[in-house]
Amino acid sequence: MRMVRLFGLAAFAAAVPALLSAQGSGPRTDFENSWYWGVRGGVTSFNTGGLSRVSAPTVGGEWLITRKHGALSIAVDQSMFEESAGIYDPSLAGSVRPVNIKDMRRYSATLLAFPIAFDQIRPYVGAGIALNVIQNASPVGNFVSTESQDDVFTRVNDQSSRAAAIFTGGLQINLGRVAVFGQASAMSTRERFLINGSNYTYAFEGGLRYNLVNAIENIWP
């Protein structure tokens, strides 16, 4: 899982400037210059190549660092499902080998813009990168040779994870230290991924964020 380790290091590197510049005192607002810790839940909608989309329950947590009109979100989500996908296998009639897949974990880092506020209501949009990792993938059936088996398992391993651009839109309502939010996100998972039955995978989530620490300086000028 080299991609997972690399993505984790990249996310940590993005957060280091915020950590180094945090101060324990200073004026507090309900939103600006704050660290939020959050929990969220919802559904992830995707298609593995079947006739209908799958709606998988999703839970996760995040770390949100805010300025006046911007924020950095680092999050981990887990989608729970058991579905069947397919992988190319020229040794079979139809050249498609069924693959049982279970659960997907998403690691994401997103830059968010909060362009306007209506009292304590703040809409936002953002873009970033997500690493999607299928937690378990098992090819189904017998193999005509060891070479064919090795080839299929290599393809399954290669297509069990996929980095993709992620685009997000949402709304946050601040209630003192606590904020309620809802958001939707989309990412392309069409190419070289076991979840490739449609052009995009979508996530619809809501949750709570808690304003834990204030005075984050020098993230944005």
Side-chain angles (χ1 to χ4, degrees), residues 6 38 75 87 98 101 105 107 110 118 141 144 192:
L6 291 175
I87 201 80
I101 60 175
R105 189 168 298 164
Y107 306 84
T110 309
F118 303 96
V144 297
R192 297 185 60 81

Side-chain angles (χ1 to χ4, degrees), residues 21 51 63 92 99 191 199 207:
S21 60
L51 297 177
W63 180 29
L92 293 180
V99 180
E191 301 296 331
N199 288 330

